[in-house]
Amino acid sequence: MTTKKLLLAALPLILMIEFAVAQAQEPPKLQFKVNGLYNAWGLTQRDFLLGMTDYRDDYLVQMFRLNFTFAYGDDIKAITRFDLGQGWWGVDNQGPTYRTGSGSALFDNKDTKFFLHVDHAYLWFNVPKISTAFSVGRFNWSVGNRLVLDNNYDGLTADIKVRDAMLKLGWAKVSEGVDGLSDQTRTARDWRGNYDARDADLFLATYNTSVGTSTKLELYGLYYTDRSIEDSTAYIIDGLFYNRPRFTPQVTKLGIFGLSGTTKIDKLTFAYEVNYLTGKDEIKNSTHRGLLNTSGAGAIDPLKYDINNGDLTGYNIFVRATYTVTPAVTLGAVAGRGSGDDDPTSGKGNVNKLRTAGFFFLTEVWEDSIMPDEEGITPQGLGAPNVRGYRELENTTAIQVNATFKATAALTLFASYTFLTSTEPIYAWTAAGPNLALKANDIGSEVDVKADYKIYDNLTATVRGGYFMPGKGAKYLLTGTDRFSKNPWEIRTEITFVF
């Protein structure tokens, strides 16, 4: 038998073997990964209203967070993150409701008190042929240093690789109107009297690139539009479950353009950001009065809204520098400036952000406020909804010096001093409105300390706190008058297990 005939005779056998081998190759297996954290912290807060009322809060809260990833090969993943066992100690799983008047009403929209709350739930998949990865579902949307956007939204993004850079394009559905069941301008009124059921949407584009080996840059642009304004309410600020500072505009259209980055030069590292905001408040308010965001129907805040000509503008400038003196000692400095409103009764309105969860950190007392709307559980710092100070760099010019000292392999110490003034004057006020004859710029100063002790590599105990010395501007902002002068302070103890 010739070689050719042997090959022809063996061909069916070869084909059968190849088919069997192909069938024996297993498809990618489903991979499951889990990580998360447990965090419990106790707070002691005093004189957050500067002595206007007897303000003393001592409480403990906890959060148990899990991250699940279901991966099918390298290019498909389903990801979720949820919180469970999250609650305020002593409330004993009390059901949240606006109509009880209890403290738990502050956290209605978070589903705390040990109910399961899903923060993220989305599909990620990569298409190598077009160098693009897609995300579809609910996940975090943030840019830069979280000054103007840091929130969880439902939507979709495309991450497009452009040589060594990354272009992200995204669309998020921010609000589905009154009840999510209609897109009509007029529907039956909900329990707060609102009837415009149209939507609010966010469009996003970011471009991330590197310059050499020392600099990383992010160029970003956002456009937000809210069409549900026929009933004289806007999702921002009326649809949020926390109170903003007094004389805040409603945001119906907003464009944001910004640049952020980091640069490392030997022992010196810079983080920086600059952004500009422009938009519209298309709701013509003739009075500052509006419904409180954290109360039942009918509860009125006489100083809720800014009165403006319909135009909104604003900006933020931020620089953080750290210098490594020795492996154990790091010196730092922070400078920031955010725009403000020079007149809450006319002219343009001021806007410094779209929506944030409060994870931009500047000080312990004056600005720090991880809000209960999405990520947090307790009102912390003077930016909390029951005190209603500024958050991030809103109408704030700040200069800070700080130092970090690694005392031992387990113990790290931090201390800072921050000087604060307002970019535009802050006016005194009564329930009748702002008093334009009384104004001040002095917000005050703050001293903060922090100690982290690593019990194990993934178990850390923390003690931190701050002491705020208010100026006349802070007194006007928080109480409307300069008659109250007690200094707010806070001590916070934490235990954090990361796994």
Side-chain angles (χ1 to χ4, degrees), residues 374-420:
E374 294 294 343
E375 300 289 349
I377 183 172
T378 57
Q380 303 164 30
L382 299 179
N386 59 332
V387 184
R388 300 168 68 180
Y390 294 141
R391 293 169 61 190
E392 286 88 31
L393 293 175
E394 181 179 356
N395 196 27
T396 298
T397 299
I399 299 175
Q400 180 186 106
V401 292
N402 59 64
T404 303
F405 175 53
K406 194 170 182 59
T408 68
L411 179 62
T412 301
L413 305 174
F414 171 86
S416 68
Y417 171 81
T418 308
F419 171 77
L420 299 153

Side-chain angles (χ1 to χ4, degrees), residues 7-38:
L7 289 174
L8 288 174
L11 183 59
L13 180 60
I14 293 172
L15 292 175
M16 289 177 63
I17 293 174
E18 287 183 348
F19 179 79
V21 170
Q23 289 295 101
Q25 291 178 348
E26 296 183 3
K29 291 183 178 179
L30 182 66
Q31 295 178 325
F32 171 70
K33 295 181 181 180
V34 60
N35 58 63
L37 66 87
Y38 176 86

Side-chain angles (χ1 to χ4, degrees), residues 170-190:
W171 163 72
K173 178 62 68 176
V174 175
S175 171
E176 269 284 350
V178 171
D179 58 8
L181 301 179
S182 171
D183 289 305
Q184 295 181 355
T185 304
R186 283 186 171 271
T187 64
R189 293 179 182 269
D190 67 6

Side-chain angles (χ1 to χ4, degrees), residues 292-354:
L292 278 168
N293 285 17
T294 58
S295 299
I300 295 294
D301 174 8
L303 307 173
K304 181 175 181 178
Y305 296 128
D306 174 53
I307 298 175
N308 56 65
N309 63 6
D311 294 326
L312 302 178
T313 60
Y315 65 85
N316 298 283
I317 303 170
F318 170 73
V319 179
R320 174 182 282 123
T322 56
Y323 180 75
T324 304
V325 181
T326 70
V329 178
T330 301
L331 300 180
V334 178
R337 183 179 177 89
S339 59
D341 189 354
D342 62 353
D343 186 349
T345 65
S346 65
K348 291 183 178 181
N350 180 68
V351 60
N352 294 92
K353 62 190 153 219
L354 179 65

Side-chain angles (χ1 to χ4, degrees), residues 34 93 116 168 217 223 249 288 300 382 385 405 409 495:
V34 60
N93 208 21
L116 175 68
K168 179 189 290 288
L217 297 175
Y223 178 71
H288 301 293
I300 295 294
L382 299 179
F405 175 53
I495 189 77

Side-chain angles (χ1 to χ4, degrees), residues 259-280:
L259 174 68
S260 72
T262 58
T263 298
K264 184 174 176 58
I265 305 172
D266 195 21
K267 297 181 179 181
L268 188 61
T269 301
F270 292 97
Y272 42 87
E273 182 170 355
V274 59
N275 52 60
Y276 176 74
L277 303 89
T278 180
K280 292 290 183 180

